[in-house]
Amino acid sequence: MAATDPPRIAALRADFDALRASFTQKIASTIPATDPRSEQRKLIANQVLRELDEADELISQYETELAGLSAAQRSRLAAFARSSRDEVRRARKDLEKARNSSERILLLSPSGPSAPTAAPRDTASGAVDLDLAFRDQRTRLLAGTERLQDSSRRLDDIHRIALETETIGVSTLTELSTQRDQILRTRDTLERADSWITRSQNVLIGMQR
């Protein structure tokens, strides 16, 4: 991390690094070491999903912050966003492999998915369902936030275009007013010249008499 990074950029990178360490450790060590028949493994997998969603959100915020920086800063800092998205995608694939492995173990197990611990599993399954519902709700909220941000950016663009149009209109009116003044002055000059010509003609006619 460069010492000259803006504070918000540095904070987002630090948050992402903490999340990355957490979901990487769970995928690489915690999930494989947990009994594939246990509800704890499902809970850990759901925690990883939440962390991956949060990581995506942090990257989106990071990219939004980049948009307000200079071209040189964006060029230097954009690589972090790209590499981070690649890491999150790989982590999702690794998590999916771990979950598929658990399902295969359950299917091949002599006791099958319905082990003697069915009664405690019901309670844990309710917790899993609540956890999934929470994750789905959070995903919808994040999508809504992104739509609001897009709408806000479009409104800003419309406001900017309106201001530019107003500036052009004022400039045009000022130019037209200047041209009107010039035309009026030219007309006055011509009228005076016409008046002098008429007087000169009268003087010449008087002299001829």
Side-chain angles (χ1 to χ4, degrees), residues 2-166:
T4 57
D5 288 350
R8 178 59 176 162
I9 290 290
L12 288 171
R13 293 182 69 154
D15 290 344
F16 180 84
D17 289 342
L19 268 178
R20 175 174 53 194
S22 177
F23 65 67
T24 300
Q25 191 271 337
K26 288 184 177 72
I27 293 173
S29 303
T30 307
I31 292 179
T34 307
D35 184 357
R37 300 177 181 82
S38 68
E39 292 299 331
Q40 182 183 4
R41 183 159 177 154
K42 292 182 180 179
L43 291 173
I44 295 172
N46 288 328
Q47 289 174 1
V48 173
L49 279 175
R50 287 201 304 274
E51 290 177 347
L52 292 174
D53 289 341
E54 291 176 12
D56 278 330
E57 174 62 16
L58 287 175
I59 297 171
S60 296
Q61 293 179 22
Y62 183 91
E63 291 171 336
T64 300
E65 293 294 326
L66 287 183
L69 301 180
S70 65
Q73 288 178 307
R74 287 198 302 273
S75 176
R76 179 171 61 84
L77 298 172
F80 176 81
R82 291 192 296 270
S83 63
S84 297
R85 284 207 182 277
D86 290 340
E87 288 186 64
V88 172
R89 279 193 291 269
R90 288 194 297 269
R92 288 187 186 278
K93 291 180 181 179
D94 292 341
L95 176 62
E96 188 63 25
K97 290 178 182 178
R99 298 177 76 173
N100 291 339
S101 174
S102 297
E103 292 175 359
R104 285 195 297 271
I105 291 174
L106 287 174
L107 289 173
L108 296 175
S109 172
S111 59
S114 56
T117 55
R121 284 167 61 92
D122 290 339
T123 302
S125 296
V128 172
D129 291 340
L130 287 175
D131 188 72
L132 290 174
F134 170 79
R135 184 168 59 85
D136 291 340
Q137 183 180 20
R138 185 179 184 279
T139 300
R140 288 194 296 270
L141 288 174
L142 290 176
T145 300
E146 291 179 0
R147 286 195 295 270
L148 286 174
Q149 289 176 344
D150 289 339
S151 299
S152 178
R153 283 192 290 268
R154 286 195 293 269
L155 287 174
D156 289 341
D157 290 340
I158 292 171
H159 183 255
R160 176 179 54 79
I161 293 171
L163 289 177
E164 291 175 355
T165 303
E166 181 182 3

